[in-house]
Amino acid sequence: MRRSVGRFAFLLPAALVLLAASPAEAYIGPGAGFAFLSSFFVLFVTFLLAIATILIWPIRLLIRLARRKGKLAKTDVDRVIIVGYDGLDPKLARRWMDEGKLPNFKRLAEKGEFRPLDSSWPSMSPVAWSSFATSSDASRHSQYDFLSRDPKTYIPDLASVKIVNPTRRIKLGKYRIPLGKPVVRLLQRSIPFWKILGEHGIFSQIIRVPITFPPQKFNGAVLSAMCVPDLAGTQGTFTFFTTDTEGAKAATGGVRKPVARNGNIVEAFVPGPANSMTEGQEELRVPVRIVIDEANESATLHLPDETFRLRLREFSPWKRVTFKPGLGVRVNGIVRFCVLSIRPHFELYLTPTQIDPDKPAMPISEPLFYSVYLAKLLGPYSTLGLAEDTWALNERVLDEELFLEQVWLNHEERERMFFNAVDQTKRGLVACVFDCTDRIQHMFWRYFDENHPANRGKDTVRFKHAIENLYVRADELLGRIMKTCDDPRTVLMVMSDHGFTEFSRGINLNSWLALNGYMAMKNGDKTCKDWFQGVDWSKTRAYSFGLTGIYINKSGREGQGIVDPKEALALKREIAAKLSGLRDEERGKTAVNDAIVAEDLYTGPYLDASPDILPAFNTGYRISWESAVGKADGKVFTDNTKSWSGDHCVDPRLVPGVLFCNRRLARKNPAIVDIGASVLDLFGIERPRHMTGRSFFRAAPEEDSAGSVPRGAANG
């Protein structure tokens, strides 16, 4: 009964806040535009569900008590708080702790523990956070990369989400009405540890932990993060309006739109989803009229329902926009504006148009009303999975100053959500991931090295301390968190999924495969375009895409596979042996420390979804931007000149994460795969057999001598 207090403490204020809720009227599917649901009033139903949940709570409590799995062992823990700083690096943390710049991290380490935390294999956020959630390795949760591929067609897709659109429609005048709704399915396998907590009556609030979209039902609340799409169904597409026709060229991660200026007037628009109710599926738009005030270096923006003034280089608050595809349907989104230039050319940046959490066009939380509750309580907030617009900085649409401002605006929203959850949770689990540490290190790592190729033509002085300032700010937040957790029955963990290192040279694995006779092109050349355009699959034995590794073109698995499955393992070992120790002669460095065959890393049931060979790149190297999209350009090594100059998709042994805890650990080598099992242990719940992680609060001497491969992979 005591542990159910946490859920009631959450439900009651949620219900009070939601009394002011208003209905949403449409449904969005990522990549699918929007489509009719069986009901137009998703949020209205959500509101009713919230009220119903409150009314039947006593009955549900009795049922849960009756079904509760086993009797919990007595523990000295009421509450566990996990603060995830994505990408926080142990070497930098140690360095700045030693210099006295991170007093709160140092205090937490002295009170309990500070240790490197073995990452997953590969050391990539969707993989590592899935290992965090499920306490299992990639071969058991089936997340190996941001992207997976349809082996029959070689076409890439998101690895974590499957979208199936309704195929049957009825024609009504100019409209095409889908009979049904898109099915959005999470492809992460295994079971999150917070679901197991819920089965034992322990309530959790999970805030923006990656790979929680679509949200899954459990006894707790979750706000989804990585892979939540924008309203266009993409993972984030910014819009850049300019009167400079030379500047209106193609952009990765965004769209550049030329606009005309008539006097002091510019007509633009907010882009929305494709109208899946019509044959042409044209893009829905909300018009924006901009009146430029050159004298005051500002502009007044007129939306259909709102007018507001913006100074030059100032981000607007979130602005709500409503798209009207017809038949009374409405789709609600939010967007920020920023006027980048007034003269000689007018330039306007728009964030990706995001799902409005107050009127969500698709579920982004569990229960459905959780996102609405947070919006009512704290105001609108970013909902996009990757909300910080790294591509806008890569494309130099935003500069470093504006990118940092955007990051910190998002971060402040996250802080408010987190402290609200901590205040509500007297018993149970709160886990929240802050992304600023990852995004800023990706985009500002070049400042550590004056010779980094990404420095060419860019500032190398003004934001030299951006990463150090980031760690100092993370320390300041930790200080405030520690004040809320200063009781002996609260366990506080601060952890990261991986560390960070330099990314100055890209390796094109497709070029390497072509030059070494494993990949063939139709014209006999050694190059192909994006997504394997020009590849002769009848002569190709191996290929690469994404950021993880190499796949064998295996007969019976790949649509045009030619490698006999009986010969596949030998081919993997042959390629891995050739790739191991690959040198970058131009730099005089070893680029690939090792290349590991999947069977030597994994033993789980989803082994076949893994890349067949996983290169372990040395510091400074990563799969190139071109190779990641299935392109071979004839060059194995290229300089990385993008602002995205730091990375972690290297040998995982080089980039462990961090673990700070206010309790001492019983083991010396914790891994991210151990977190879930350790939390279960703190609440007196036995670790399920499917988990490969082990509680680091219990001694296991035989595991402390584990080999050089992170336990997030082979050893479990």
Side-chain angles (χ1 to χ4, degrees), residues 84-372:
Y85 281 129
D86 196 306
L88 197 79
D89 185 77
K91 298 184 294 297
L92 293 180
R94 170 59 67 191
R95 170 180 157 190
W96 287 321
M97 279 197 298
D98 290 344
E99 293 176 5
K101 296 172 180 173
L102 308 178
N104 294 304
F105 279 108
K106 185 176 182 182
R107 185 158 58 94
L108 183 56
E110 290 173 346
K111 182 176 181 180
E113 292 275 3
F114 164 45
R115 292 189 180 278
L117 186 70
D118 279 356
S119 186
S120 57
W121 196 295
S123 47
M124 191 183 300
S125 290
V127 188
W129 286 112
S130 293
S131 291
F132 162 81
T134 64
S135 223
S136 60
D137 65 53
S139 67
R140 288 169 174 81
H141 57 61
S142 194
Q143 295 295 300
Y144 294 95
D145 199 333
F146 284 99
L147 296 176
S148 64
R149 89 291 187 212
D150 181 345
K152 299 301 180 187
T153 62
Y154 307 93
I155 293 175
D157 206 346
L158 278 175
S160 63
V161 182
K162 179 72 174 179
I163 304 123
V164 180
N165 293 318
T167 56
R168 298 178 60 198
R169 296 170 184 268
I170 59 172
K171 186 176 181 180
L172 185 62
K174 67 176 183 179
Y175 296 109
R176 305 291 183 270
I177 311 301
L179 297 178
K181 63 182 180 180
V183 176
V184 186
R185 184 159 53 91
L186 179 66
L187 298 182
Q188 181 194 74
R189 305 305 185 197
S190 197
I191 303 171
F193 69 89
W194 48 81
K195 184 173 183 180
I196 298 170
L197 290 176
E199 290 170 350
H200 288 80
I202 298 171
F203 190 77
S204 302
Q205 291 199 61
I206 309 299
I207 301 170
R208 297 287 289 183
V209 172
I211 314 300
T212 50
F213 174 80
Q216 304 299 295
K217 187 175 178 59
F218 79 113
N219 180 28
V222 61
L223 181 66
S224 296
M226 183 178 285
C227 294
V228 173
D230 60 19
L231 281 188
T234 77
Q235 290 300 301
T237 301
F238 68 81
T239 307
F240 173 64
F241 291 101
T242 177
T243 56
D244 179 10
T245 54
E246 293 295 319
K249 56 186 179 182
T252 302
V255 178
R256 298 176 191 257
K257 297 282 188 183
V259 286
R261 176 172 174 173
N262 297 310
N264 63 341
I265 303 295
V266 171
E267 302 285 353
F269 60 88
V270 179
N275 191 348
S276 63
M277 290 172 55
T278 59
E279 193 70 33
Q281 300 201 10
E282 68 280 1
E283 180 184 69
L284 293 167
R285 296 177 174 181
V286 170
V288 186
R289 165 167 280 209
I290 302 143
V291 181
I292 300 169
D293 182 350
E294 286 202 10
N296 292 301
E297 294 198 319
S298 64
T300 300
L301 281 71
H302 298 266
L303 291 167
D305 301 319
E306 184 178 4
T307 297
F308 59 97
R309 192 174 185 84
L310 269 184
R311 296 191 301 272
L312 184 64
R313 294 176 58 80
E314 172 190 30
F315 277 105
S316 73
W318 289 112
K319 297 296 180 183
R320 289 194 165 97
V321 289
T322 301
F323 302 93
K324 301 176 181 177
L327 297 176
V329 176
R330 295 185 175 189
V331 182
N332 297 292
I334 57 172
V335 64
R336 287 190 195 272
F337 301 81
C338 184
V339 176
L340 301 175
S341 172
I342 288 179
R343 70 176 84 86
H345 298 287
F346 176 79
E347 294 177 344
L348 177 69
Y349 163 82
L350 275 68
T351 63
T353 310
Q354 304 186 25
I355 294 169
D356 183 351
D358 191 28
K359 299 180 179 180
M362 68 184 307
I364 56 172
S365 68
E366 166 59 35
L368 287 170
F369 58 78
Y370 187 49
S371 69
V372 184

Side-chain angles (χ1 to χ4, degrees), residues 670-693:
I672 194 167
V673 75
D674 296 328
I675 299 274
S678 301
V679 174
L680 295 181
D681 189 26
L682 287 171
F683 284 110
I685 299 172
E686 187 175 351
R687 177 179 67 95
R689 294 185 63 184
H690 68 264
M691 285 187 170
T692 55

